[in-house]
């Protein structure tokens, strides 16, 4: 696939806590790092997202006595999966994977920093209304097509892909550069949702 000057590689949450040994580890999550590093060399424009939670965030199971990680509760903005404490601001687990090449990133979007609301998508908080500002940045820069890689396929990558399509961007998911949590069928649901939204799916860029 030919990479154009109006393309962006959007790297989602390749952070220590989402890799093996982390607080919310995605199986084989660190395998995406060399693939993303190789992809980064091909793009003129690269942006990163970084999960960035304050201590006691409302999405943490520990903030809801009697609840356990991976349970679902009702929040004012809708259904919310409860997670182990992870990606706490300034903690080692919130850092990008130490082998991830970040020098060529022109933008880092931090998300999930509002204590009362979680954020999966690179574009919106989980209320689906509060923007991160990424869409405006892309439009002002004239970037029209987004290539997605990172963690996890069925959560933050998925929601970012759906929002990219909802906002009118051509969207391509690079499967080799992603890994999934696959919680109770979430991966199959994500693939179906992305197909319906018109997200193009490729294994890799040759």
């Amino acid at each position: 696939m030919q990479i154009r000057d109006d393309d962006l590689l959007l790297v989602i949450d390749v952070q220590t806590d989402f890799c093996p040994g982390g607080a919310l580890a995605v199986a084989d999550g660190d395998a995406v790092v060399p693939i993303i590093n190789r992809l980064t060399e091909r793009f003129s424009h690269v942006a990163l997202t970084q999960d960035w939670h304050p201590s006691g965030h409302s999405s943490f199971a520990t903030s809801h006595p009697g609840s356990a990680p991976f349970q679902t509760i009702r929040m004012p903005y809708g259904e919310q999966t409860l997670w182990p404490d992870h990606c706490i601001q300034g903690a080692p687990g919130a850092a990008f994977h130490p082998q991830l090449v970040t020098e060529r990133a022109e933008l880092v979007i931090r998300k999930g920093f509002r204590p009362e609301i979680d954020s999966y998508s690179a574009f919106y908080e989980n209320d689906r209304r509060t923007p991160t500002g990424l869409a405006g940045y892309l439009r002002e820069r004239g970037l029209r097509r987004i290539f997605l890689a990172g963690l996890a396929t069925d959560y933050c990558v998925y929601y970012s892909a759906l929002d990219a399509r909802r906002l009118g961007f051509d969207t391509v998911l690079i499967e080799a550069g992603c890994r999934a949590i696959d919680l109770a069928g979430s991966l199959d649901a994500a693939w179906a949702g992305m197909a319906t939204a018109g997200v193009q799916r490729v294994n890799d860029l040759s």
Side-chain angles (χ1 to χ4, degrees), residues 2 5 10 26 42 82 121 148 153 158:
Q2 188 70 32
D5 287 341
L10 181 57
V26 178
R42 299 191 54 187
L82 296 179
S121 170
L148 284 158
T153 314
Y158 169 51

Side-chain angles (χ1 to χ4, degrees), residues 15-50:
Q15 295 167 256
T16 301
D17 265 347
F18 294 130
C19 291
L24 185 49
V26 178
D28 203 29
D30 52 357
V32 306
V33 173
I35 296 165
I36 291 171
N37 288 345
R38 171 172 52 80
L39 291 169
T40 296
E41 297 175 359
R42 299 191 54 187
F43 285 81
S44 298
H45 306 284
V46 179
L48 311 174
T49 68
Q50 187 176 22

Side-chain angles (χ1 to χ4, degrees), residues 105-119:
E106 59 192 46
L107 180 70
V108 176
I109 291 282
R110 284 177 166 168
K111 58 190 183 65
F113 56 82
R114 293 177 175 85
E116 72 284 355
I117 185 169
D118 205 5
S119 183

Side-chain angles (χ1 to χ4, degrees), residues 17 23-25 53 59-62 68-70 81-88:
D17 265 347
L24 185 49
H53 296 306
S59 70
F60 295 166
T62 54
F70 310 111
T81 300
L82 296 179
W83 304 108
D85 291 24
H86 67 281
C87 294
I88 294 172

